Amino acid sequence: YFLNEIMGNKILFINPPLSYDSRIKHTNHQFPVGFLYMASLLEKNNFVVKILDCPLYYKLRRKIDDKTIKFGLFPNQIEKIIMNFKPDIVGVSCSFSMFESDSFEVINLVKKIDKKIITIVGGAHSSSNPEFVLRNKNIDLVVIGEGELTCLEIAQAVRDKKNLDSIKGTALFLDNKFKINPPREPIHNLDDFEPAWHLVDFKEYFKHPDNYSVLMRAPSVNIITSRGCPGNCVFCSVQTVWGRKWRAISAKKVVDQIEHLVKKYKVKHFRVNDDNLSLDKKRVIEICNEIIKRKLDIKWDTPGGVAFWTLDEKVLMAMKNSGYYRITFGIESGSKNTQKYIGKNIDLEKVTKLIDYCHKIGLWVASFFIIGFPFETREDIKDTMDYIKNSGINFPFLFVAQPYPGTKMYDDFKNAGFLKHGLIETSHAFSTKYSTIHFTPKELNSFRKRTYIKFYLTKMLKYTNPYLFHREFVSKIGSYEDLKYVFKIIKNLIIDFIY
């Protein structure tokens, strides 16, 4: 974990150790792509950059209380790295409300070591509620939105001993008053930027269980090929970072990056984490055709989901032929009332046809669903539970709505009086601690568990029909690799169900 001291203008990015339920064995963890993009631009401008991804070391854990454990490097290890590296700036990720205290712990440690170090935080949580985050007086600046150009300007100002008060895309406290500067313009030509992959130890990431436990192949890498989403879902805080204007890396540039990772680091699987990968159908088909043309033997999926309304049979077939094996839809709800509240008008009939086609060409089908919106009724939740139970999907991912700052739903929770004591850091989408107008947290968590039980019991009964069993399950097993994947997902479903 120790870094040699390097002379020059130095920036250290830190992903803090994270607090989780003590029952889990490891966190979900991927490559810090956001840091890698910022680091690349900084290096091109002659800054020295290091990335410290603390939760990567998941075997290091310390007990916080009877129900909580913290994964990642210990404070004394982080302190030694900071003292050895002697950074001028430390940037800390603060992306989710539930991990805010983890970020604050690292920020406080940095200032304890050296008050002259400039501390900055970024991410969705920080971007959506900078004044709230800045209640921690050890934070010098909050970066709002995309970080590349803003971090470069901060680094240049620190190096040149210039004022930090008026940098676009930042917020700060100045003379005991909150100041939010004008927003940074979105980056339009994403082809000009690429991650600094050389700054991370691929072997460490490849050893992490999340790199192989639920994927068809390993080792894997997560990539982002586009930014922004024109959608306006009430629960989504992504727009606070990427905005609503969709921008994309060109198809050739995307596959150049894939090919580089395949050849240099022997990557076999790619998790494409775009918020709206398929908005431009022509571009998706170009990416798929380029993968095939270059004979890149890979598997890939879209764990963050794809918008069903951007898809058709031609796009899905191109994706399948290029190594895509598991699709995740963002259906969200089976209730028309809830869909209206969310800001989606979902044609469930069209979704059903797409699901049928995915089965026909051999794609595993998953979908995200959410219950527990502030005004949702029992009938609304029942509609979603019934849709999940009777749908043709293979894997439902059901969450309980969380009021993330920067979303319309946060305002609705607040206005309804459910945030009188602020955000609940121990609440999360798998086990909520927020009430709604009609339900207690216990009831919502019970709905979630019962939905999974009903779904899998219904599936087992349906699969007594040989036609359905073959169409939705057996037809996807065409090789020993496919068979191994089936056993892997069954094992993980059992573990998740027990949890």
Side-chain angles (χ1 to χ4, degrees):
Y1 307 128
F2 297 99
L3 304 172
N4 294 323
E5 181 177 346
I6 303 174
M7 301 302 293
N9 300 291
K10 292 175 281 189
I11 296 95
L12 176 63
F13 289 118
I14 301 178
N15 188 14
L18 299 178
S19 300
Y20 279 90
D21 189 299
S22 59
R23 291 173 294 178
I24 71 171
K25 294 182 179 180
H26 61 82
T27 63
N28 294 326
H29 200 73
Q30 299 183 19
F31 285 76
V33 175
F35 283 162
L36 294 173
Y37 272 102
M38 290 185 285
S40 177
L41 183 61
L42 287 164
E43 286 190 329
K44 288 177 181 177
N45 285 271
N46 301 315
F47 291 94
V48 178
V49 188
K50 292 290 179 182
I51 295 174
L52 183 59
D53 195 357
C54 299
L56 175 62
Y57 305 97
Y58 68 98
K59 292 183 179 180
L60 298 174
R61 57 192 73 186
R62 54 190 169 106
K63 184 177 180 181
I64 304 301
D65 54 43
D66 290 340
K67 295 183 178 180
T68 311
I69 197 166
K70 186 165 289 194
F71 289 87
L73 298 179
F74 299 145
N76 65 310
Q77 294 172 307
I78 299 171
E79 182 176 0
K80 288 178 182 178
I81 292 168
I82 294 171
M83 293 179 72
N84 279 344
F85 186 51
K86 294 183 175 60
D88 302 292
I89 300 169
V90 171
V92 179
S93 172
C94 190
S95 295
F96 299 99
S97 305
M98 64 182 292
F99 298 132
E100 183 192 69
S101 61
D102 295 319
S103 300
F104 282 3
E105 183 178 329
V106 170
I107 288 285
N108 296 339
L109 176 63
V110 171
K111 285 295 190 181
K112 179 183 175 183
I113 294 169
D114 187 350
K115 288 188 176 296
K116 292 185 292 184
I117 296 174
I118 300 298
T119 54
I120 60 177
V121 297
H125 176 64
S126 307
S127 295
S128 61
N129 205 352
E131 186 172 6
F132 182 73
V133 171
L134 281 166
R135 74 189 188 279
N136 184 330
K137 302 305 179 185
N138 282 325
I139 297 172
D140 293 308
L141 289 168
V142 168
V143 173
I144 301 172
E146 288 176 312
E148 288 90 347
L149 297 176
T150 302
C151 281
L152 175 60
E153 188 173 343
I154 293 171
Q156 290 171 332
V158 171
R159 180 195 61 195
D160 300 337
K161 296 181 172 54
K162 291 183 178 180
N163 200 304
L164 300 176
D165 298 350
S166 302
I167 294 174
K168 282 184 177 182
T170 65
L172 69 160
F173 266 101
L174 184 64
D175 299 326
N176 293 318
K177 293 181 180 178
F178 175 70
K179 181 185 181 186
I180 185 166
N181 289 309
R184 176 79 54 178
E185 296 82 2
I187 297 170
H188 294 290
N189 189 3
L190 295 178
D191 278 15
D192 290 342
F193 297 82
E194 56 187 25
W197 294 110
H198 61 277
L199 289 180
V200 294
D201 184 347
F202 276 73
K203 291 180 181 178
E204 285 294 336
Y205 286 89
F206 290 167
K207 288 191 296 185
H208 193 284
D210 190 43
N211 195 271
Y212 54 81
S213 60
V214 296
L215 306 176
M216 181 170 283
R217 285 187 187 172
S220 68
V221 166
N222 50 293
I223 60 173
I224 299 174
T225 78
S226 65
R227 298 181 182 182
C229 179
N232 194 25
C233 299
V234 297
F235 56 82
C236 183
S237 61
V238 165
Q239 78 278 359
T240 62
V241 176
W242 303 127
R244 299 202 187 283
K245 183 177 177 58
W246 187 80
R247 299 148 289 139
I249 302 171
S250 67
K252 181 181 181 301
K253 189 79 172 181
V254 169
V255 184
D256 285 346
Q257 185 178 160
I258 290 173
E259 186 171 31
H260 169 72
L261 292 166
V262 168
K263 291 184 175 179
K264 186 173 179 64
Y265 300 104
K266 311 303 179 187
V267 177
K268 297 179 180 179
H269 184 288
F270 290 86
R271 293 176 282 188
V272 182
N273 286 338
D274 295 27
D275 297 307
N276 210 319
L277 168 70
S278 50
L279 190 64
D280 182 344
K281 295 180 182 180
K282 181 181 177 183
R283 171 180 168 272
V284 173
I285 292 173
E286 287 176 356
I287 289 172
C288 297
N289 289 341
E290 193 69 20
I291 290 171
I292 296 167
K293 177 183 174 182
R294 301 190 196 187
K295 298 180 180 179
L296 298 174
D297 182 16
I298 62 169
K299 292 292 184 181
W300 64 284
D301 69 338
T302 47
V306 290
F308 71 89
W309 47 271
T310 65
L311 299 171
D312 57 32
E313 292 185 0
K314 184 177 180 182
V315 173
L316 288 168
M317 181 57 78
M319 293 166 69
K320 167 68 175 177
N321 290 338
S322 64
Y324 191 67
Y325 69 96
R326 182 180 63 190
I327 191 167
T328 303
F329 290 108
I331 300 172
E332 320 300 4
S333 178
S335 162
K336 284 295 180 184
N337 291 330
T338 301
Q339 289 173 17
K340 186 176 179 181
Y341 170 73
I342 290 173
K344 285 188 172 183
N345 182 21
I346 302 171
D347 185 345
L348 293 177
E349 187 175 329
K350 179 180 179 181
V351 174
T352 300
K353 290 180 180 178
L354 285 173
I355 291 172
D356 287 343
Y357 184 72
C358 289
H359 286 311
K360 181 179 178 181
I361 64 176
L363 290 176
W364 294 98
V365 184
S367 181
F368 295 124
F369 297 94
I370 305 173
I371 60 171
F373 293 100
F375 312 116
E376 202 168 32
T377 66
R378 186 175 295 272
E379 190 62 33
D380 293 328
I381 291 179
K382 184 178 183 299
D383 286 345
T384 296
M385 293 171 71
D386 286 345
Y387 181 84
I388 293 172
K389 181 180 70 174
N390 297 316
S391 69
I393 64 174
N394 298 110
F395 318 112
F397 300 121
L398 180 59
F399 306 112
V400 183
Q402 301 294 293
Y404 295 125
T407 66
K408 181 183 180 299
M409 192 171 69
Y410 173 87
D411 296 332
D412 290 338
F413 267 91
K414 187 175 182 179
N415 294 335
F418 296 120
L419 300 180
K420 291 179 180 178
H421 304 292
L423 295 170
I424 304 172
E425 292 183 357
T426 54
S427 180
H428 51 81
F430 307 107
S431 180
T432 191
K433 293 189 178 179
Y434 292 105
S435 296
T436 66
I437 287 178
H438 298 288
F439 303 107
T440 65
K442 185 176 180 181
E443 288 173 316
L444 291 170
N445 294 329
S446 176
F447 286 145
R448 180 177 180 271
K449 187 171 184 178
R450 281 160 47 196
T451 300
Y452 278 114
I453 293 172
K454 288 182 179 180
F455 174 81
Y456 287 110
L457 286 176
T458 302
K459 277 292 181 190
M460 284 189 284
L461 288 173
K462 280 186 175 182
Y463 284 171
T464 58
N465 180 324
Y467 169 75
L468 285 178
F469 185 51
H470 183 272
R471 184 182 74 110
E472 295 184 9
F473 199 89
V474 177
S475 63
K476 298 171 176 59
I477 306 173
S479 66
Y480 179 61
E481 180 179 50
D482 294 332
L483 184 62
K484 285 198 302 181
Y485 177 65
V486 168
F487 283 114
K488 184 183 290 188
I489 56 179
I490 290 174
K491 176 184 174 182
N492 280 279
L493 284 171
I494 293 171
I495 292 172
D496 290 343
F497 180 74
I498 292 173
Y499 170 71

